[in-house]
Amino acid sequence: MPKRAPYPPEFRQQMVELVRAGRSPEALAWEFEPLGPTIRNWVVQADRNEGIRRDGPSRSEQEELRRLHRENKQLRTEREILARATAWFAREADPGSGPFTSS
């Protein structure tokens, strides 16, 4: 089943404003397509982004965490590559450790 495209930011903002104006997410769900819990999640995230709520990360904090996770993964990969290269160069530099040496 193909994943649907997300709702446009303008639409989400309109839903948030309607909830803040007194409409319930369930009533909006009947009138528009998103489910009530989806609209409620948009309101919670908008409150976090605007500093009204402090019970979770804002959108910018989420993006920063994703960026840091990607960077951390890249650094771990690079460190692993460097460790393997260091071990390989150490074996090459030691003439007595090759497979064809007579001991």
Side-chain angles (χ1 to χ4, degrees):
M1 183 172 173
K3 187 175 181 180
R4 288 179 9 113
Y7 293 98
E10 299 81 19
F11 178 78
R12 291 180 182 206
Q13 185 59 37
Q14 288 176 338
M15 294 294 109
V16 169
E17 290 171 7
L18 287 170
V19 170
R20 288 179 177 166
R23 303 271 308 268
S24 75
E26 290 73 24
L28 292 171
W30 276 102
E31 189 173 341
F32 301 98
E33 188 175 323
L35 299 175
T38 301
I39 296 170
R40 192 178 332 278
N41 289 339
W42 293 345
V43 173
V44 168
Q45 188 60 52
D47 288 348
R48 288 178 183 150
N49 294 345
E50 296 169 16
I52 298 170
R53 294 179 69 130
R54 288 293 201 205
D55 61 344
S58 68
R59 179 73 59 211
S60 61
E61 291 169 334
Q62 289 174 354
E63 290 170 3
E64 177 71 3
L65 283 172
R66 276 193 290 276
R67 185 189 69 75
L68 290 172
H69 282 286
R70 280 193 307 270
E71 182 179 331
N72 194 9
K73 183 178 180 181
Q74 179 67 31
L75 290 171
R76 286 175 192 258
T77 302
E78 291 172 3
R79 185 183 69 193
E80 183 180 325
I81 291 168
L82 289 172
R84 289 180 182 177
T86 301
W88 184 83
F89 283 117
R91 281 193 309 270
E92 289 292 314
D94 186 6
S97 66
F100 300 110
T101 58
S102 58
S103 300

